[in-house]
Amino acid sequence: MEQYIMKGGNPLVGEVTVSGAKNAALGILAASIMTDEDVLIENLPDVRDINVLLEAIEEIGASVKRLDRHTVQINAAKIHAVSVDDEYIRRIRASYYFIGALLGKYKSAQVPLPGGCNIGSRPIDQHLKGFRALGARVEVSGGAVVAHAIDLVGSHIYLDMVSVGATINIMMAATLAEGETIIENPAKEPHVVDVANFLNSMGANIKGAGTDVIRIRGVKHLHGTEYSIIPDQIEAGTFMCAAAITRGDVMVQNVIPKHLEAISAKLIEMGCEVTEFDEAVRVVGRPKHWHTDIKTLPYPGFPTDMQPQMTVTLALAEGTSVVTESIFENRFKYVDELSRMGGRVKVEGNTAIITGVKQLTGAQVNAPDLRAGAALVIAGLAAEGYTVVDEIGYIQRGYENFEKKLQGLGAMIEKVDSEKEAQKFKLKVG
Ligand code: UD1
């Protein structure tokens, strides 16, 4: 079983380049099957979730050509099934984007219902409400969402809660509906805007993505395109926290600084130096950091996907910090692991109370999910001694070359597959 082993204590110093945004890529890849013409997608991150979605696209009959590690050409003219295999949804929840994409293009889709996941129960009622409002008959039958429409017709849809997935899914279906759809209370995350821009580059007419109201005028068909995915906000934020927690000095390249404002603001409150450039952000950690309070919120609020990385950073800040998780119910599972490294964190309901300590100490810990896994790695890089992180498959779902990028910043970390390799690492780093 693969693990990360690391010896902490080295400040991370240097430059790191962020990959394309995984969550934008998931929506964009699903949307790329909505035309029969060639679609070329660049700056695709080479991570597990993306590779699984590409397999699912091939499985329903589209051709997928990997032109290089980060570029793919998709042609969906020969799709033969509007039904997605259960296996893909089990491996990756975002396969639910096929409902919007297939329903828009073929007016029919059959996709297994995604279950909850490690960060909590994740209903998709708002997605289904949107499809129904567009005139589709949607049933949940045999564990799958079965949606059909004679015609999809534009509608006025108010989302009961801000949902990234529902906004993207409804936007896709509405793109090929008749007339105008208005989505009120949509998600404004950068990846929602990126999917809208991608659809527009295929001939869709979507206005207002990133604002409080999205207006979609349906078009008859979509054409091929070439599109480059935005940089990953969360990967960038993870390296920013890695710089802060190790008291390092890191230039994070290939970012859109505007997308990082909520993260930068909190690091500045803690006493870090954060400098924005056109396409980079530099974070310099200070010997002493201060406590701060954080509440996760939809964009432009503080992202829930950065909550674990920021919580571990606060574990080494002076004073008591309060972190409130308002998006997902079960996102503090890593706290027990952090306690095993000497962190002092108490969880009450959706709130974590963190009392800063002077030092974390290395331990063997388990990654409970993707972002918490990354958080435990950066905690390990700041801890005294060796840390081993198990279940790193979660981390590989969303971070490309994580250990290599960290090594480039001077981190003593390696991916190992056996006790013998772990011993070899220990002998090497001393
Ligand atoms: C996306 C991101 C995920 C991120 C999350 C919040 C992708 C692939 N994943 O997930 O990394 O953590 O946004 O920024 O982009 N909800 C409902 N009913 C619905 C839909 C959502 O109750 O129909 C609730 C969810 O349970 C959750 C909240 O709304 O509490 C936000 O969920 P949502 O924005 O939909 O998250 P995802 O799109 O699944």
Side-chain angles (χ1 to χ4, degrees):
M1 196 58 96
E2 285 186 333
Q3 306 168 314
Y4 284 140
I5 181 164
M6 67 211 79
K7 186 176 180 194
N10 255 15
L12 298 192
V13 176
E15 279 189 22
V16 64
T17 301
V18 165
S19 301
K22 171 189 76 97
N23 287 347
L26 291 168
I28 285 171
L29 288 177
S32 70
I33 66 166
M34 295 176 70
T35 173
D36 283 344
E37 297 174 19
D38 282 351
V39 171
L40 185 86
I41 301 166
E42 293 170 336
N43 203 30
L44 196 69
D46 184 10
V47 295
R48 280 199 191 164
D49 275 8
I50 295 302
N51 296 327
V52 173
L53 197 75
L54 285 171
E55 278 177 48
I57 288 176
E58 267 189 311
E59 187 64 29
I60 56 174
S63 103
V64 173
K65 279 193 209 138
R66 213 68 205 231
L67 302 185
D68 63 42
R69 192 168 176 200
H70 299 119
T71 312
V72 73
Q73 189 176 52
I74 294 175
N75 184 293
K78 297 211 174 97
I79 284 192
H80 54 65
V82 292
S83 160
V84 176
D85 207 304
D86 204 13
E87 187 203 327
Y88 295 102
I89 201 99
R90 268 189 278 117
R91 285 166 67 196
I92 168 186
R93 287 188 92 254
S95 315
Y96 61 38
Y97 285 141
F98 285 122
I99 313 175
L102 291 167
L103 187 63
K105 189 178 182 193
Y106 298 108
K107 312 291 174 263
S108 182
Q110 183 164 345
V111 177
L113 200 59
C117 70
N118 288 1
I119 58 175
S121 104
R122 292 173 80 170
I124 61 162
D125 53 300
Q126 299 301 303
H127 306 228
L128 305 189
K129 167 175 136 168
F131 299 139
R132 289 188 179 115
L134 295 174
R137 255 188 72 184
V138 183
E139 280 164 27
V140 176
S141 156
V145 176
V146 185
H148 297 288
I150 308 226
D151 285 311
L152 288 177
V153 183
S155 178
H156 198 129
I157 300 163
Y158 179 86
L159 294 180
D160 297 339
M161 76 270 305
V162 178
S163 161
V164 169
T167 305
I168 291 178
N169 234 339
I170 297 168
M171 218 162 58
M172 289 197 286
T175 284
L176 291 175
E178 260 171 49
E180 191 180 45
T181 297
I182 297 175
I183 309 178
E184 305 235 34
N185 196 29
K188 297 179 219 162
E189 267 67 3
H191 39 293
V192 172
V193 179
D194 210 35
V195 177
N197 288 341
F198 172 74
L199 286 163
N200 283 340
S201 79
M202 292 203 296
N205 184 347
I206 303 172
K207 295 205 169 95
T211 74
D212 289 330
V213 183
I214 300 180
R215 289 170 197 277
I216 305 147
R217 193 161 282 285
V219 295
K220 288 259 175 304
H221 76 279
L222 296 172
H223 54 71
T225 186
E226 291 183 9
Y227 194 83
S228 182
I229 292 170
I230 53 165
D232 197 300
Q233 173 203 28
I234 307 302
E235 188 195 3
T238 304
F239 285 112
M240 290 167 76
C241 284
I245 194 173
T246 62
R247 274 55 178 172
D249 179 350
V250 175
M251 184 74 92
V252 187
Q253 298 279 9
N254 186 35
V255 302
I256 299 175
K258 173 116 196 77
H259 296 167
L260 303 171
E261 273 170 2
I263 303 159
S264 300
K266 285 296 156 189
L267 290 174
I268 291 168
E269 276 177 36
M270 290 171 67
C272 297
E273 189 184 312
V274 180
T275 317
E276 286 183 5
F277 299 86
D278 286 349
E279 290 179 2
V281 59
R282 178 182 175 197
V283 177
V284 183
R286 294 289 172 214
K288 200 190 247 188
H289 291 158
W290 290 275
H291 61 99
T292 187
D293 295 341
I294 292 176
K295 183 172 184 186
T296 62
L297 287 169
Y299 189 84
F302 190 88
T304 172
D305 285 356
M306 279 302 300
Q307 180 263 101
Q309 302 89 313
M310 195 56 101
T311 301
V312 301
T313 308
L314 287 169
L316 283 176
E318 207 168 274
T320 303
S321 306
V322 178
V323 174
T324 308
E325 172 56 62
S326 71
I327 312 285
F328 291 112
E329 72 216 12
N330 203 0
R331 231 180 167 170
F332 284 124
K333 279 215 226 144
Y334 64 94
V335 159
D336 289 343
E337 305 296 289
L338 186 61
S339 301
R340 300 180 54 238
M341 299 175 73
R344 281 182 61 196
V345 187
K346 213 169 106 190
V347 176
E348 282 174 11
N350 68 344
T351 303
I353 299 149
I354 304 132
T355 308
V357 293
K358 291 229 158 7
Q359 185 71 61
L360 293 173
T361 45
Q364 178 140 8
V365 292
N366 251 315
D369 60 69
L370 164 60
R371 305 301 172 186
L376 291 170
V377 169
I378 65 171
L381 293 176
E384 205 174 57
Y386 294 100
T387 293
V388 174
V389 179
D390 286 317
E391 303 284 349
I392 63 169
Y394 284 118
I395 302 174
Q396 291 163 339
R397 289 179 65 166
Y399 289 88
E400 179 175 322
N401 275 348
F402 195 40
E403 75 284 2
K404 293 219 167 59
K405 289 189 185 185
L406 290 166
Q407 283 162 2
L409 296 170
M412 290 190 274
I413 179 170
E414 218 153 275
K415 186 165 69 187
V416 295
D417 211 358
S418 64
E419 187 50 38
K420 203 167 140 202
E421 282 181 21
Q423 289 305 334
K424 225 163 98 188
F425 171 82
K426 286 186 179 171
L427 281 175
K428 192 169 84 184
V429 300

